[in-house]
Amino acid sequence: MNQQLWDSVDEYFASSLIPADPVLAGAAERARAAGLPHIAVSPSQGRLLQLLARIRGARRILEIGTLGGYSAIWLARALPAGGSMLSLEVEPRHAEVARANLADAGLADRVEVRLGPAAESLAALVAAQAEPFDFVFIDADKPSNPVYVEFALHLTRPGGVIVIDNVVRQGEVADPSSEDASVRGVQRAVEMIAAEPRLTATAQQTVGEKGYDGFILAVVGD
Ligand code: SAH
Ligand code: DHB
Ligand code: MG
């Protein structure tokens, strides 16, 4: 492990490829000032999410786990005119910060932050036969990943993309005897994805300013 090296390489690529952005910097600063945990995606990861949504041509995006709206800003900026995004968050204080950040980013008309336990909001979307999403970013409480994968499958149209953050858990994901609830949540989600013929998936380990981690990328078939 060499966190300093990962930081400097992340900084090299981000400063080269991602223009300085006062809106995103302001969103990160507001989240910090409000005392929110420092666990948002990095700039390079935000850009990756944005590119994936853009490559997909996503018109409807669902995010599970808003925090201060940092990843939501990256994703919502991938939306075409007329597109929309829904982001689910259980903590009122996080939702409040996110709404302020999205308003400052000029995205309040395109992004709704819905307050409440994500599993309840997702069940309500299924019950209401909501129009399916093209892109789902799962990034909330990790023990619930299996629940979120199941809902994401129900709520995503064929060709849709599902991304799950933080799946490496310091490498503990490969330990079948782990009793950590977050690790178990990832492992159960992986088993479900593997057993689901409609999903084609891979996982990538990552290093960078967020340490050693990784994400799952899945595409929904017919
Ligand atoms: N996607 C954000 C980071 C999300 S951090 C970004 O990269 O900018 C995880 C968020 O999930 C936290 O804000 C936490 O409050 C929220 N969360 C945790 N449990 C939840 C639940 N059951 N339902 C909805 N949100 C939840
Ligand atoms: C944590 C959560 C995240 O979504 C993340 O990207 C990093 C860390 C956490 O709960 O520690
Ligand atoms: Mg995360």
Side-chain angles (χ1 to χ4, degrees):
M1 300 281 170
N2 190 340
Q3 185 61 52
Q4 258 186 358
L5 183 60
W6 301 342
D7 283 349
S8 62
V9 173
D10 227 355
E11 172 59 24
Y12 164 69
F13 282 124
S15 63
S16 307
L17 299 175
I18 303 177
D21 188 319
V23 168
L24 283 163
E29 172 52 26
R30 179 184 267 123
R32 194 202 58 77
L36 270 51
H38 185 65
I39 55 176
V41 295
S42 69
S44 293
Q45 292 169 338
R47 171 55 60 79
L48 175 63
L49 291 170
Q50 181 179 74
L51 291 176
L52 290 169
R54 199 166 112 191
I55 291 164
R56 172 59 283 179
R59 303 184 62 83
R60 274 175 63 79
I61 297 176
L62 173 65
E63 176 176 70
I64 306 174
T66 316
L67 192 64
Y70 186 80
S71 54
I73 293 173
W74 279 107
L75 280 166
R77 284 176 169 177
L79 290 168
S84 67
M85 173 165 176
L86 175 63
S87 186
L88 310 179
E89 174 56 54
V90 75
E91 289 289 341
R93 212 164 44 88
H94 298 185
E96 193 183 314
V97 170
R99 287 180 185 129
N101 279 334
L102 288 159
D104 280 0
L107 294 165
D109 58 334
R110 263 159 289 175
V111 186
E112 180 193 346
V113 178
R114 196 167 292 178
L115 189 61
E120 289 179 19
S121 298
L122 291 162
L125 286 167
V126 171
Q129 299 189 310
E131 186 190 331
F133 294 91
D134 308 297
F135 190 100
V136 183
F137 180 44
I138 300 178
D139 191 23
D141 51 317
K142 313 311 174 187
S144 299
N145 272 340
V147 175
Y148 300 151
V149 167
E150 187 66 36
F151 277 119
L153 252 177
H154 280 290
L155 290 163
T156 308
R157 73 171 94 250
V161 172
I162 300 171
V163 175
I164 311 175
D165 198 19
N166 314 116
V167 298
V168 169
R169 318 306 311 174
Q170 314 300 325
E172 204 177 325
V173 70
D175 176 3
S177 60
S178 172
E179 284 173 17
D180 180 278
S182 294
V183 173
R184 297 280 294 263
V186 173
Q187 291 169 334
R188 283 267 322 285
V190 169
E191 285 160 27
M192 289 170 53
I193 292 167
E196 174 52 64
R198 281 181 298 157
L199 287 175
T200 305
T202 189
Q204 289 295 305
Q205 303 180 65
T206 58
V207 294
E209 65 168 65
K210 292 199 67 186
Y212 169 49
D213 211 330
F215 61 93
I216 285 173
L217 173 65
V219 174
V220 183
D222 302 303

